[in-house]
Amino acid sequence: MKKLMAANWKMYKTVEEGVQTATELMQLLTSNSLQDREVLLCPSFTMLGAVGPILSKVPGCFLGAQNFYPAGQGAFTGEIAPEQLKALGCTYALAGHSERRHVLGEPDEFIGQKIVFGLHSGLNMILCIGETIAERQAGKVEEVLARQLAMGLANALSMATAKTLAVAYEPVWAIGTGEVAGPAEIMAAHAFVRAQLVSLLPEYGQKIRILYGGSVKPDNARTIIHLDNVDGVLVGGASLQAKSFSQIVLA
Ligand code: 13P
């Protein structure tokens, strides 16, 4: 399985700015072979339609959504359905990002519904998990990760495969803080997630990609990407510029 190098642009950029960054990124990546890497860009909904065709010019680059509502269609003002995302070229979506858990207050059950509905709709899902600093200091890292995985995947076990599911370990205290988790912390968390995945999904658990996210930058990406059980990265701030994200992709 190729490493998945994912960009989460969060609520940044206008359509024009997104098109410009995606265009620059594709220029930087076409001149280099992606080899064992795949690239995923998750921009705001507003620019999915404009950015998708730019990505599709480079094999191995994919478009993803940061969120969706788990229903086919209906009276859900302000929400977006998986079918609407697929119609714009999305093949991936995130669920359970810490900003949605902690800023928007999404509970584990709802995230589990999104994983099921996204897979059912034919999207590849990335389940984001991670502990807060208070949970880490209280010695609860494994308890939190086990709960978020079990509840996120509760009704998805018969649908998830190594192709359709990835997990992103993003310790909340390392997101946007410049404080990257150290290699030992990353390896311990990823080994724990791997063991949980193998126990939940005996057939695919060994191969499901586990991404690391939290202050990944060009100067630490190479070390992180080569750690045991790290099968990719999910990058926020450093993905907003084409140059720095391309350096991470090719690290
Ligand atoms: P930063 O790379 O800015 O820390 O963000 C990580 C993240 O939340 C990616 O989803």
Side-chain angles (χ1 to χ4, degrees), residues 45-220:
F45 295 133
T46 53
M47 66 191 85
L48 289 171
V51 166
I54 299 168
L55 298 186
S56 65
K57 291 186 190 131
V58 179
C61 292
F62 303 97
L63 184 69
Q66 297 172 20
N67 184 39
F68 61 79
Y69 189 80
Q73 59 179 0
F76 302 104
T77 301
E79 296 295 332
I80 311 264
E83 288 303 326
Q84 295 173 315
L85 298 171
K86 282 168 55 191
L88 292 172
C90 285
T91 51
Y92 281 83
L94 309 180
H97 191 278
S98 76
E99 287 142 21
R100 298 212 62 90
R101 291 179 189 269
H102 299 293
V103 182
L104 282 301
E106 291 188 6
D108 285 312
E109 293 81 1
F110 187 48
I111 292 158
Q113 285 172 29
K114 292 192 196 189
I115 296 288
V116 173
F117 200 85
L119 291 174
H120 178 73
S121 305
L123 289 170
N124 299 315
M125 294 300 303
I126 301 179
L127 171 61
C128 305
I129 60 174
E131 81 286 358
T132 63
I133 191 65
E135 288 164 338
R136 175 165 282 269
Q137 285 167 350
K140 292 187 173 167
V141 175
E142 295 191 352
E143 184 188 317
V144 170
L145 298 184
R147 188 198 73 233
Q148 291 178 343
L149 278 171
M151 294 188 73
L153 299 177
N155 296 308
L157 297 177
S158 62
M159 276 184 284
T161 68
K163 183 178 182 317
T164 60
L165 179 72
V167 171
Y169 169 62
E170 299 200 300
V172 180
W173 47 273
I175 295 179
T177 58
E179 192 171 341
V180 66
E185 290 163 323
I186 297 175
M187 280 197 292
H190 280 234
F192 180 76
V193 172
R194 175 70 67 210
Q196 295 292 302
L197 287 173
V198 168
S199 122
L200 288 165
L201 291 152
E203 195 177 346
Y204 300 110
Q206 204 58 253
K207 289 198 177 143
I208 285 173
R209 290 183 286 192
I210 307 174
L211 319 185
Y212 170 77
S215 296
V216 176
K217 309 285 176 212
D219 63 0
N220 61 26

